[in-house]
Amino acid sequence: MKTIKGPAIFLAQFVGDDAPFNSFDTICGWVASLGYKGVQVPTWDKRLMDLERAANSQEYCNELIATAAKHGVVISELSTHLQGQLVAVHPAYDEAFDGFADPSVRGNPRTRQAWAVEQLKMAAKASKRLGLNAHATFSGALAWPYFYPWPQRPAGLVKEAFAELGRRWKPILDAFDAAGVDLCYEIHPGEDLHDGVTFERFLEEVGHHPRANILYDPSHFVLQHLDYLAFIDHYHERIKMFHVKDAELNLNGKCGVYGGFQNWVDRPGRFRSIGDGQVDFKAIFAKLTAYDFAGWAVLEWECCLKHPEDGAREGAQHIQDFIIRVTDKAFDDFADSGVDAQANRRMLGLE
């Protein structure tokens, strides 16, 4: 068995215009002061990194590695959540998602999609240059507006949506395969890949591609009433990344998992700082360790109540406490009688 690496932290929720959150150097120093050992880096914010430069310059990647190392941390993974979203956008969400793209491609869905695909391919190259073996993204969504079957879905609608999703992602998966990097889809409401069944549909469409893997985040399963521990049993072979994010679902007599269009603080299902929600992280870390998960435990902070800096500070210690240093010997070794093969046969009555 392997010991899970960490704690690491996803930087996306902390980047800002004020120090120490406005540069890769200073934010690495800040997270190191909290006890983090790794940083997961969003690739869309040039205050942290330039994705195109990272894809094409080993020297630039070496500078990023050295900057992190100066503070005693490493880059755990890169993220293209926003660009991955743009690989597949239903027309109902065109305007809402247009802001995720570079200004030069906004207002043109075809050009925007081509830009997103190129962003993902650059991320594969950048990950390879940085010596990484996993990458985080979203799948995007074509079928999501039809997730509730009213009006009744036309025959073949979902099948065609997943077939198209597979066609769009297959070349990207091949690019990640060429780079030797696993592409990990965060299983997330709002994406066509939002549970195990939809992930399996996608796998069928991409020929069970070996690089099509999972970013496991239990918070999204709490909000769906999905058994997040059993999910690990089903899909542990495909789980290559792990977001440590908490959530709670407090059902009431006025609304349920759909939330009633309310703000996060008023919804029955809401994200919380790690340790403040309902996720059983001890059980998750034990299960992932038993299945030999070799990746990073990465804090993704989202909370409708607590200040992010407090969530980050507490999260580092929580993750450190959850990580299980695996044993190199059996607990009952003291009782080993040292019986040999012949003695074993005698004990079985074979001699």
Side-chain angles (χ1 to χ4, degrees), residues 39-286:
V39 289
Q40 188 177 95
V41 185
T43 60
W44 57 84
D45 195 317
K46 289 190 177 181
R47 287 171 294 189
L48 298 184
M49 69 171 292
D50 184 317
L51 179 58
E52 185 173 1
R53 283 186 67 192
N56 294 297
S57 170
Q58 188 61 51
E59 181 180 1
Y60 176 65
C61 287
N62 291 345
E63 291 173 3
L64 291 174
I65 293 169
T67 297
K70 178 176 69 175
H71 300 287
V73 300
V74 301
I75 299 172
S76 62
E77 303 100 355
L78 301 180
S79 156
T80 53
H81 280 82
L82 301 193
Q83 301 99 312
Q85 184 77 62
L86 299 181
V87 171
V89 177
H90 187 279
Y93 295 104
D94 259 338
E95 190 165 346
F97 283 141
D98 222 23
F100 287 2
D102 186 83
S104 65
V105 299
R106 292 174 186 168
N108 188 327
R110 286 187 178 274
T111 303
R112 184 186 64 202
Q113 180 196 339
W115 173 85
V117 170
E118 184 58 28
Q119 287 276 299
L120 266 293
K121 290 180 177 179
M122 287 195 294
K125 294 178 181 178
S127 294
K128 182 178 181 179
R129 290 189 184 279
L130 290 165
L132 308 177
N133 58 20
H135 180 81
T137 198
F138 277 150
S139 68
L142 299 173
W144 177 255
Y146 310 104
F147 83 97
Y148 194 82
W150 182 258
Q152 189 179 49
R153 291 187 290 260
L157 178 75
V158 173
K159 181 176 177 58
E160 179 56 31
F162 274 85
E164 177 63 22
L165 197 68
R167 286 191 288 267
R168 295 187 185 190
W169 278 104
K170 179 63 163 57
I172 300 171
L173 286 163
D174 289 342
F176 273 85
D177 193 33
V181 179
D182 289 321
L183 186 55
C184 302
Y185 298 95
E186 183 168 357
I187 307 301
H188 189 292
E191 311 303 314
D192 280 346
L193 309 190
H194 58 271
D195 58 17
V197 171
T198 52
F199 179 70
E200 290 178 15
R201 280 182 180 265
F202 180 71
L203 280 183
E204 289 289 334
E205 296 298 339
V206 296
H208 292 268
H209 201 292
R211 296 298 178 180
N213 290 291
I214 291 172
L215 191 172
Y216 173 77
D217 182 337
S219 68
H220 302 300
F221 300 152
V222 169
L223 270 56
Q224 294 184 70
H225 256 196
L226 190 155
D227 188 332
Y228 55 82
L229 293 176
F231 185 94
I232 299 174
D233 292 325
H234 288 298
Y235 301 109
H236 58 90
E237 292 181 352
R238 293 276 181 173
I239 295 173
K240 305 294 184 180
M241 293 179 64
F242 174 26
H243 270 177
V244 184
K245 192 171 81 173
D246 213 340
E248 61 186 359
L249 183 60
N250 301 309
L251 298 181
N252 61 60
K254 288 191 173 183
C255 66
V257 295
Y258 303 129
F261 298 108
Q262 297 181 97
N263 293 327
W264 277 111
V265 71
D266 298 316
R267 295 171 66 94
R270 56 190 192 175
F271 299 121
R272 298 296 309 278
S273 277
I274 179 174
D276 294 342
Q278 296 167 348
V279 176
D280 186 351
F281 285 109
K282 285 187 177 180
I284 289 173
F285 274 79

Side-chain angles (χ1 to χ4, degrees), residues 296-319:
W296 284 84
V298 181
L299 176 78
E300 183 184 19
W301 177 88
E302 290 181 2
C303 185
C304 57
L305 297 175
K306 184 170 288 184
H307 193 281
E309 292 181 42
D310 294 335
R313 173 178 47 79
E314 295 171 3
Q317 188 58 57
H318 278 306
I319 293 174

Side-chain angles (χ1 to χ4, degrees), residues 1-4 229 232-233 236-237 281-294 322-327:
M1 295 186 296
K2 300 180 181 68
T3 297
I4 295 174
L229 293 176
I232 299 174
D233 292 325
H236 58 90
E237 292 181 352
F281 285 109
K282 285 187 177 180
I284 289 173
F285 274 79
K287 198 171 276 286
L288 287 175
T289 299
Y291 281 124
D292 219 18
F293 174 73
F322 289 136
I323 290 175
I324 299 168
R325 184 162 66 104
V326 298
T327 181

